[in-house]
Amino acid sequence: MMIRNALIALLAAPLALLAGPADAALRVFACEPEWGALAQELGGNLVEVSVATGALQDPHQIQAKPSLIARARNADLVVCTGAELEIGWLPILLQQSGNAKVQPGQPGNFAAADYVRKLDVPGQLDRSQGDVHAAGNPHIQTDPRNIAQVATALGTRLQQVDPAHAAEYARRQADFAQRWQQAIARWSAQAAPLKGAPVVSQHKAFTYLYDWLGLKEVAVLEPKPGVEPTASHLQGVLSALKGTPVRMVIHAAYQDSRASEWLNTNAGVPVVKLPFTVGGSDGAKDLFGLFDDTVARLLAAGGKQ
């Protein structure tokens, strides 16, 4: 009897191995932390998420390293911003991966910016103007209303690429949508004192945040997107601001803050470092924490008239 049971177990083992992948987690490769966090919210234990970039990395400037190529090769779904944010590295990554199901146009390739209204769309393309994006400003994740729209589309895409678990993805997407809308209402109410506040940006990274909260960008420290400001340019900004008091100068956590600190030293403008994405500060541990911390930092610096 013992021998018979052992033989049955031995024969069953290969069948178990064959059945395993059907129950394996969907492998999601996210380009940026915000989309990795969103995929985790919508997928839970149905997904295995890896993220190409960290919160303190410039998402424009990433190398298509072999380790990233390997992750893309094994991915079932690639979730990125799009709108040319990753144009310097993602096409190479996908090409080198040899993974047919995550190529552009396939269900396994998801570009978040396709599902929101883009701002800062250039009237004409001129690369001499710096790091401009033909499709508009790609930093869509700084407005939680955009996150809501992307979540709806991503939830649908997860159901498409993993239909066996469609009902669970739909349930999780509905749950997230409810919690997220409640959070947006809370953040909007908290940030009401910021409406109309004049601010300076170090980089054109927060266009969507300003659109949501009604902040007024009166100057940008970079002379062109992605180009570090010279001393003469900073002096020009300082002169322009003499007749326009501003409440704060804002930069992302991944950026060198020297230009913002220069304005603080020479004009007394408070510097605000915003997390920009999940992981950009101790408080921004997930998507909800990202906006909790963002609103709190803005209010601490410029919430009073």
Side-chain angles (χ1 to χ4, degrees), residues 150-188:
V150 174
T152 299
L154 183 56
T156 300
R157 185 65 62 89
L158 286 166
Q159 295 175 54
Q160 181 183 358
V161 298
D162 187 13
H165 299 104
E168 177 63 9
Y169 290 124
R171 185 196 69 76
R172 293 189 67 93
Q173 195 276 322
D175 174 69
F176 174 79
Q178 181 180 23
R179 290 184 291 120
W180 195 248
Q181 290 301 331
Q182 291 171 346
I184 289 176
R186 173 168 52 83
W187 294 321
S188 298

Side-chain angles (χ1 to χ4, degrees), residues 15-29:
L15 294 177
L17 289 172
L18 289 173
D23 297 320
L26 187 80
R27 288 167 298 197
V28 177
F29 176 78

Side-chain angles (χ1 to χ4, degrees), residues 88-198:
W89 56 279
L90 184 60
I92 300 169
L93 197 72
L94 296 179
Q95 182 182 31
Q96 295 281 331
S97 76
N99 185 348
K101 60 187 174 183
V102 300
Q103 299 304 315
Q106 297 302 311
N109 185 294
F110 181 91
D114 288 350
Y115 302 95
V116 305
R117 176 179 63 97
K118 261 79 75 185
L119 303 176
D120 292 343
V121 179
Q124 61 181 18
L125 285 179
D126 184 354
R127 291 298 178 183
S128 70
Q129 293 303 307
D131 188 16
V132 294
H133 298 276
N137 192 303
H139 304 304
I140 63 170
Q141 85 285 354
T142 60
D143 182 342
R145 299 172 301 181
N146 287 343
I147 301 285
Q149 292 176 265
V150 174
T152 299
L154 183 56
T156 300
R157 185 65 62 89
L158 286 166
Q159 295 175 54
Q160 181 183 358
V161 298
D162 187 13
H165 299 104
E168 177 63 9
Y169 290 124
R171 185 196 69 76
R172 293 189 67 93
Q173 195 276 322
D175 174 69
F176 174 79
Q178 181 180 23
R179 290 184 291 120
W180 195 248
Q181 290 301 331
Q182 291 171 346
I184 289 176
R186 173 168 52 83
W187 294 321
S188 298
Q190 290 172 344
L194 295 166
K195 187 172 184 179

